[in-house]
Amino acid sequence: MPVNAQLPVSEPHSHGDGQPHHDHDHDHEPHRPAGPAGPSRASRAARLRHRLAHTVTPHSHEARDKVDPALEGSREGLRTLWLSLAVLGLTTVVQATVFALSGSVALLGDALHNAADALTAVPLGVAFLLGRRAATRRYTYGYGRAEDLAGVVIVLTIAASAVPALYAAVDRLLHPRDVSHLWAVAAAALVGFLGNEWVARYRIRTGRRIGSAALVADGLHARTDGFTSLAVLLGAGGSAVGWRAADPVVGLLITVAILLVVKDAAREVFRRLMDSVDPALVAAGEAALRGVPGVRGVGQVRMRWIGHALRAEADIVLDPQLTLARGHRIAVAAEHALIHGVPRLTAATVHLDHTPEDGGADPHAALAHHAPAR
């Protein structure tokens, strides 16, 4: 019998959240009834080739397979964190050693700042580890949001780092001091800048590749520390030519730069917390759905980030005379197209609607009084 109703038949599929998954055929070709002697040899060979392709290509719809991209992202994020922690730790040791020789308070502040930046890897590392845990009946979407919370901690850390920078700059203006071993201070400042800039580029590049706003924010934080190191370098140069106010003046300018980076990082994390996505991703999803055979129209498409994995919900319009089995296959094909068409998308819930029938009642009428007022 033909199905003549709106049915969210795709919801039993895997959605990457650890929920039960109903087995279904992965054959995306239109269903053709077998002849009296059963499926032809050609059709059996085609299905075998398709299943072999799924075996060697990483795009299965099973929940345990869909988690793999997110896990790979977590592993890459953790590797980035530990490597950057080692680089910043070495930078801190070099600067602390030079401080012991020169007595430069500015260099001490920069060393402490670098140490604090290295320690921001801890909350983000914990977030990556939490994000690898399987979803539960309480946390049905998993623990990916821990990355966004870590991003908040990192933004607060960046903002807090501006306070001692401002204090040190004002104190140096009020109480000028001479600094010895200026060449060593300049070299240590340069080491601090190069170390922080390398870490910043590495974190930002990895964060954008795996879709982690928190890791990008942490990279921006490392960049501010590099600016602080440059302030020490410029201050040492000013002291070398007899301008004792050079170090505090540059320190004030760096404080302003830190606050500007706080604004950019806070905006990035706030957008992620508010489920903001790039409109181009939504457009790519709509285009992918329109290209699925059997889809007559595309309704609302919504997306959100959970950690560094993207999820989607989409409405598609089908022929009302399709059978349930045929509609189900189109829903699977639509989810498949979304996963391939949208970067970092790991799961989609596809809702089926149908074109109006002559004289038929609106299938959404029962929900009309639940719609929010606009």
Side-chain angles (χ1 to χ4, degrees), residues 37-341:
S40 67
R41 181 176 302 175
S43 65
R44 285 197 302 270
R47 278 197 295 271
L48 179 59
R49 285 194 302 270
H50 184 77
R51 287 169 182 168
L52 286 174
H54 271 268
T55 301
V56 299
T57 306
H59 58 257
S60 170
H61 299 294
E62 294 294 333
R64 61 180 178 273
D65 293 330
K66 281 191 176 181
V67 175
D68 285 346
L71 287 178
E72 284 301 322
S74 295
R75 293 189 186 102
E76 189 173 1
L78 286 170
R79 186 164 55 248
T80 299
L81 288 176
W82 302 142
L83 185 55
S84 60
L85 175 62
V87 171
L88 289 177
L90 180 60
T91 300
T92 301
V93 170
V94 171
Q95 291 184 322
T97 302
V98 175
F99 159 72
L101 297 173
S102 66
S104 170
V105 177
L107 187 58
L108 173 62
D110 192 33
L112 293 175
H113 199 182
N114 286 330
D117 184 40
L119 292 178
T120 60
V122 175
L124 193 51
V126 171
F128 279 133
L129 290 174
L130 279 176
R132 296 167 68 172
R133 296 180 60 183
T136 65
R137 291 185 65 84
R138 181 177 295 275
Y139 296 97
T140 55
Y141 285 93
Y143 295 83
R145 288 287 190 185
E147 285 186 39
D148 300 328
L149 297 178
V152 174
V153 174
I154 290 168
V155 169
L156 294 177
T157 303
I158 300 174
S161 68
V163 176
L166 177 62
Y167 175 82
V170 174
D171 180 70
R172 184 59 59 87
L173 279 174
L174 297 177
H175 307 94
R177 306 170 192 173
D178 291 327
V179 179
S180 63
H181 297 84
L182 291 178
W183 64 270
V185 173
L190 185 59
V191 168
F193 170 74
L194 294 176
N196 277 287
E197 182 61 22
W198 184 89
V199 168
R201 289 174 179 268
Y202 190 30
R203 287 178 176 177
I204 292 171
R205 183 171 63 249
T206 302
R208 288 175 176 167
R209 183 165 58 247
I210 70 175
S212 174
L215 191 56
V216 171
D218 208 19
L220 293 173
H221 183 194
R223 181 155 286 164
T224 65
D225 289 349
F227 295 153
T228 304
S229 297
L230 281 183
V232 178
L233 178 62
L234 294 176
S239 299
V241 298
W243 183 28
R244 303 181 71 184
D247 183 47
V249 168
V250 174
L252 290 175
L253 295 177
I254 293 303
T255 301
V256 175
I258 291 174
L259 294 176
L260 291 176
V261 173
V262 168
K263 182 196 70 164
D264 292 339
R267 180 176 57 191
E268 183 82 11
V269 173
F270 174 78
R271 286 178 174 176
R272 183 61 60 87
L273 288 171
M274 294 298 294
D275 289 332
S276 172
V277 297
D278 186 348
L281 295 176
V282 179
E286 292 172 340
L289 290 173
R290 291 192 183 98
V292 176
V295 173
R296 293 190 172 185
V298 177
Q300 189 176 37
V301 175
R302 294 183 293 181
M303 297 180 185
R304 63 167 57 174
W305 287 98
I306 300 179
H308 47 266
L310 196 63
R311 293 181 58 92
E313 299 174 8
D315 300 336
I316 59 175
V317 181
L318 307 180
D319 184 344
Q321 301 302 321
L322 291 177
T323 63
L324 178 61
R326 177 62 178 141
H328 178 253
R329 277 193 289 272
I330 294 176
V332 172
E335 183 182 5
H336 200 171
L338 281 173
I339 291 173
H340 283 279

